[in-house]
Amino acid sequence: MATKPRVKVPQQVKKGEVFEVKTLISHKMETGLRKDKKTGALIPRKIINKLIVKYDGREVFKADFHPAISANPYMSFFTKATKSADMEFTWVDDDGTEYKHTAKINVN
Amino acid sequence: MSKQGSTQTFTRRQVLIAASGLALAGFVSRVRPAIADAASTQEAIKKVIGGKDPKPGRIKLKLPEIAENGNTVPVSFSVDSPMTKKDYVKAVHLFAEANPRPNVGSFYFSPTSGKATASTRMRLLKTQNIVALAEMNDGSVYMTKTKVKVTIGGCGG
């Protein structure tokens, strides 16, 4: 259901620089308030409820999403460059599935 | 009814109409989940920040004045903070006063964030106020409120 995590980070950053990280993932973000047009039954809620971002093993950003977050949740935030390391992104689905992505941060 | 002050009597028809009205009201309220208002938003805010009293200032919201599509309304915020170990923003919480549920999202920062700025996209059912709260590391809370006009509501039917 949820696929194609996309992350945009600068190709290179200077040590100490505060840079922007943009993220996007495909997901319907079913609110749990919509009804099936044919049966009239409520479509159960299924959203990504959390995004956790680790940089060099340490958590640098976290977001809790509610059903009011749009489909294909977009999230951008800032962080400070410390050293060249991996930035790991984890999106957590209501059903417990984790979608992961890793981006390289090059610090010079 | 016919004579004022007399005990009200209802015909069978009136009773039936009233009953169907009630049934309909029940049905409608089940279809359309109760819409949040300023009071229930206050409750939701209390749940998130506890009994703290938010002060105005320090947090800024960036929203379109008119959102044509309520399904995807861009929202950004930034908090005036040096983001040092002694003085930083712990979290920002967003609420939409007239959505079926007021909570939109919570975003957590640390001194390593550099700045407490972030953007996302949200669903808005109709024209309403967006409330943003910034929780500082010293426990103080700052608040701002911005109105967004929504042309076509999101959230689905």
Side-chain angles (χ1 to χ4, degrees), chain A residues 29 62 64 67-68 70 74 76, chain B residues 71 104 106 108 112 119-120 123:
Chain A
M29 299 292 274
K62 193 176 87 173
D64 289 337
S70 302
Y74 165 81
S76 85
Chain B
N71 270 316
V104 175
S106 296
Y108 303 89
T112 54
S119 346
T120 185
R123 294 174 169 132

Side-chain angles (χ1 to χ4, degrees), chain A residues 28-45:
Chain A
K28 272 176 87 176
M29 299 292 274
E30 193 58 63
T31 60
L33 303 170
R34 281 192 332 130
K35 289 195 150 201
D36 188 308
K37 276 186 186 132
K38 277 180 206 150
T39 64
L42 274 181
I43 305 168
R45 175 183 135 154

Side-chain angles (χ1 to χ4, degrees), chain A residues 55-108:
Chain A
Y55 171 35
D56 192 23
R58 272 185 310 176
E59 188 180 298
V60 290
F61 181 78
K62 193 176 87 173
D64 289 337
F65 295 154
H66 290 270
I69 297 290
S70 302
N72 307 328
Y74 165 81
M75 187 79 236
S76 85
F77 60 92
F78 289 83
T79 194
K80 206 184 276 176
T82 50
K83 64 175 191 180
S84 292
D86 281 348
M87 192 173 266
E88 296 161 283
F89 301 82
T90 309
W91 289 265
V92 185
D93 196 299
D94 271 347
D95 67 10
T97 317
E98 291 187 347
Y99 313 102
K100 286 181 186 282
H101 184 84
T102 305
K104 281 244 180 303
I105 307 296
N106 296 310
V107 179
N108 59 10

Side-chain angles (χ1 to χ4, degrees), chain B residues 22-84:
Chain B
L22 277 177
L24 193 68
F27 177 70
V28 168
S29 69
R30 246 178 287 133
V31 174
R32 280 239 165 252
I35 287 169
D37 52 25
S40 61
T41 306
Q42 284 308 315
E43 249 170 64
I45 289 173
K46 228 178 206 172
K47 257 188 208 161
V48 173
I49 62 163
K52 287 168 198 155
D53 206 11
K55 289 174 258 185
R58 285 187 80 170
I59 178 159
K60 274 193 190 133
L61 264 174
K62 206 175 138 196
L63 284 155
E65 210 171 298
I66 299 171
E68 278 178 18
N69 181 359
N71 270 316
T72 168
V73 183
V75 52
S76 312
F77 57 81
S78 61
V79 188
D80 177 22
S81 164
M83 295 306 272
T84 57

